[in-house]
Amino acid sequence: MKIIMLISVICLNWNACTNDSPQIAALQAGGTAGGRCEGCEAIYLSPIPFAQLNWEDTLPDFNEPGPRLVISGVVYKKDGTPAKDVVIYIYHTNQEGVYLNRHQEKGWAGRHGYIRGWVKSDEAGRYRFYTLRPAPYPGGTALAHIHPILKEPGVNEYWIDEFVFADDPALTPAALKHQQERGGSGVLRPVEKNGILYATRDVYLGKNIPGYPQ
């Protein structure tokens, strides 16, 4: 009875009981894969319901000045077969290395800035993002990077290694040692073609993810 009442309250608070609700997702997952994940709840801020997401997305900065970048890959299950219906949320800095907020958003939407997007892997496990290559934080030595967060069916949301760039001078051997390869290697090796950078990263669900369901 208590469980039913709790779910009812959640539904009332969110106006509808859908799989896109982080509370419902947490109940379905039955555990916490990936450990602490500050800001991972932002994946549920998608302006498009998860059920309607496409396997590719163009981020708001793609047609702005800067190095255009296309990231694509395949999401794989632990058994090596393609994984469909995996939501991938990414966000990154602008060409000044800042998470720019253009529309006065609050909370995580404001902190992550306007350069963000969502996709859902298709039947073949494919995903693709069109964006600009981000700049590193101003005045620092941090790597230029793109943050990814995943939500797969039956598992709570979790983060995987950031997308970083093999030709980044800041990606030293010491920096490489800090890569955990959560979800597989996040190191991109962009190749330019007709003025656009193309890079590939395949994602392996559960790889090096603590607490991942067996």
Side-chain angles (χ1 to χ4, degrees):
M1 177 64 74
K2 290 183 178 179
I3 294 176
I4 294 174
M5 291 177 65
L6 173 61
I7 294 176
S8 298
V9 171
I10 291 172
C11 291
L12 288 173
N13 287 342
W14 280 78
N15 299 320
C17 245
T18 70
N19 288 339
D20 293 354
S21 163
Q23 287 97 331
I24 297 298
L27 289 174
Q28 292 174 332
T32 303
R36 185 172 180 271
C37 189
E38 183 179 4
C40 276
E41 59 265 39
I43 195 172
Y44 299 103
L45 300 177
S46 172
I48 300 173
F50 284 0
Q52 299 175 22
L53 285 173
N54 197 357
W55 69 278
E56 55 183 355
D57 186 30
T58 301
L59 274 64
D61 65 332
F62 186 66
N63 291 314
E64 298 174 1
R68 291 186 175 183
L69 173 67
V70 180
I71 303 172
S72 60
V74 176
V75 183
Y76 291 101
K77 299 177 184 178
K78 294 193 74 173
D79 63 5
T81 59
K84 68 174 183 176
D85 296 336
V86 176
V87 176
I88 305 175
Y89 163 61
I90 66 169
Y91 67 97
H92 62 77
T93 61
N94 65 6
Q95 297 303 290
E96 285 73 48
V98 176
Y99 298 103
L100 184 64
N101 185 341
R102 281 185 167 176
H103 306 292
Q104 308 303 315
E105 291 95 345
K106 305 299 181 182
W108 291 114
R111 292 177 64 175
H112 290 179
Y114 79 98
I115 304 175
R116 54 196 184 127
W118 291 259
V119 296
K120 183 176 68 174
S121 59
D122 68 4
E123 295 281 345
R126 299 179 301 168
Y127 77 93
R128 182 181 296 148
F129 288 103
Y130 297 82
T131 186
L132 295 183
R133 177 169 173 162
Y137 301 147
T141 59
L143 294 165
H145 59 279
I146 297 172
H147 295 277
I149 299 170
L150 267 60
K151 174 68 180 77
E152 55 181 291
V155 180
N156 61 272
E157 66 283 355
Y158 59 89
W159 61 273
I160 59 174
D161 269 19
E162 297 165 349
F163 295 82
V164 295
F165 301 90
D167 58 354
D168 189 333
L171 189 61
T172 62
L176 274 172
K177 288 183 180 179
H178 288 289
Q179 300 296 308
Q180 300 180 42
E181 295 202 358
R182 289 174 55 124
S185 174
V187 179
L188 302 178
R189 292 172 171 80
V191 175
E192 184 175 351
K193 182 178 180 181
N194 298 324
I196 298 178
L197 298 171
Y198 292 87
T200 301
R201 178 190 183 177
D202 293 336
V203 175
Y204 301 89
L205 298 177
K207 184 174 182 178
N208 297 326
I209 304 299
Y212 191 81
Q214 300 300 316

